[in-house]
Amino acid sequence: MTFQKRRKTLRATLSSSACIRPGSVYDAISIRIAEDLGFELGMFGGSVASLAVLGDPDIALITLTELAEQMRRMSRASALPVLVDADHGYGNALNVRRTIEELEAAGAAGLTIEDTLLPQAFGETKTQLISLEEGLGKVKAALDARRDPSLVIVGRTGAVSIASLDDAIERARAYEAAGVDALFFTGIKAKAELEAISGATRLPLILGGAPEAMSDLAYLREQRVRIALQGHAPISAATKAVYDTLKALREGLPSKVLTGLASADLTARVTRETLVGARSALFLGTKR
């Protein structure tokens, strides 16, 4: 599947009447698993990118080059469309243009640009926002940098919890007027907040970090939410599995009695062993 087809698939999701939950992906194996399980979309979060690439917490240490290269690896491994958390665009509005260029070339189906002040300012312990004017400049720069018109660009804000609901709506309307394809909100804690946002905007909505009371997909559909994130459990589960396995081996447990390991069949499927074997036979003359 070409990059453009992946992007059109994401656009079809946003224009539908359904609300989906994407699979959290972070490397070649995780994206293949998500694809094989039937997920319509992968979500490559900034926090999991930092964990997978650097082993660091989500404090904006990862670089654009590292993020784009990881996306490139996933694009090679799977045709699953991926929405990338591009954080603040790695700098000012001109840096945002470069971010769009690199992630578009790496095969992202869509990406989000947020108005959080990143990295954290000296002496500040609370999350801060950039001004609406600066945020709007970043959004416009992102749209200007897009070369494939099917690439999805999403304006993201956490203003609901950082500033106020009114501020979040003002920012969303400005990003909407600038021409983004969807709006991404974090920090929404109550149905009344989501309903106010839905009533004040027109674009498809993407929701991150909502409480359990807002997990009903039928309700979210009514509020025009088309993508509802469900956290990044896969990388957390993988970390626990690796830890437990290495701990058991370190403590002397024989490898043949370990539990929770991938079967030979599962390993063959996610590594596309049959396909690789067929190519070896075709191009190298190997016997299957």
Side-chain angles (χ1 to χ4, degrees):
M1 183 185 291
T2 65
F3 293 165
Q4 190 174 71
K5 287 183 178 179
R6 302 178 197 191
R7 292 160 186 164
K8 288 181 177 179
T9 298
L10 174 54
R11 284 186 173 274
T13 295
L14 292 172
S15 63
S16 74
S17 59
C19 178
I20 68 164
R21 294 195 181 278
S24 176
V25 297
Y26 53 90
D27 65 4
I29 293 298
S30 65
I31 193 173
R32 281 181 173 171
I33 292 171
E35 181 181 34
D36 290 351
L37 289 173
F39 279 92
E40 302 91 342
L41 178 69
M43 179 70 204
F44 186 29
S47 59
V48 296
S50 186
L51 286 171
V53 176
L54 302 178
D56 283 332
D58 188 19
I59 54 172
L61 292 180
I62 192 169
T63 66
L64 168 59
T65 302
E66 291 165 334
L67 181 77
E69 186 56 38
Q70 193 72 349
M71 182 65 247
R72 202 181 315 276
R73 294 186 182 105
M74 290 193 287
S75 294
R76 171 197 168 273
S78 168
L80 184 70
V82 176
L83 178 62
V84 181
D85 172 8
D87 284 329
H88 61 316
Y90 298 90
N92 64 24
L94 298 183
N95 298 108
V96 169
R97 290 194 85 266
R98 171 81 191 282
T99 295
I100 301 301
E101 293 168 351
E102 294 296 333
L103 289 175
E104 182 175 318
L111 52 89
T112 68
I113 297 293
E114 66 182 90
D115 50 18
T116 307
L117 178 62
L118 295 172
Q120 191 168 314
F122 177 79
E124 291 291 339
T125 57
K126 294 182 179 180
T127 304
Q128 296 177 294
L129 297 170
I130 59 177
S131 68
L132 170 57
E133 292 75 18
E134 185 177 359
L136 188 56
K138 287 190 173 188
V139 163
K140 290 178 177 179
L143 294 166
D144 180 69
R146 177 169 59 187
R147 291 296 170 261
D148 179 357
S150 63
L151 178 69
V152 174
I153 294 178
V154 181
R156 172 173 169 167
T157 185
V160 175
S161 59
I162 301 171
S164 68
L165 175 61
D166 288 343
D167 187 31
I169 289 174
E170 182 183 9
R171 288 169 183 265
R173 282 176 166 169
Y175 302 157
E176 185 174 74
V180 297
D181 301 301
L183 298 167
F184 187 127
F185 293 90
T186 59
I188 295 177
K189 301 299 183 185
K191 288 185 176 181
E193 293 174 335
L194 177 59
E195 290 164 11
I197 287 168
S198 179
T201 58
R202 301 183 307 277
L203 290 174
L205 304 180
I206 301 174
L207 195 59
E212 184 65 27
M214 296 168 59
S215 62
D216 180 61
L217 291 181
Y219 167 75
L220 294 177
R221 284 196 300 270
E222 292 174 358
Q223 302 307 316
R224 220 172 52 260
V225 176
R226 298 295 172 252
I227 299 171
L229 275 61
Q230 53 186 347
H232 300 295
I235 196 167
S236 179
T239 301
K240 180 68 162 56
V242 171
Y243 179 88
D244 288 346
T245 301
L246 285 173
K247 184 174 184 292
L249 290 170
R250 178 63 175 167
E251 292 174 352
L253 187 71
S255 58
K256 63 182 180 181
V257 300
L258 287 171
T259 60
L261 303 183
S263 66
D265 178 65
L266 177 58
T267 301
R269 277 189 280 134
V270 299
T271 58
R272 307 300 191 247
E273 187 176 287
T274 299
L275 177 60
V276 173
R279 288 170 176 167
S280 295
L282 180 63
F283 302 122
L284 296 176
T286 57
K287 294 181 179 181
R288 299 180 64 186

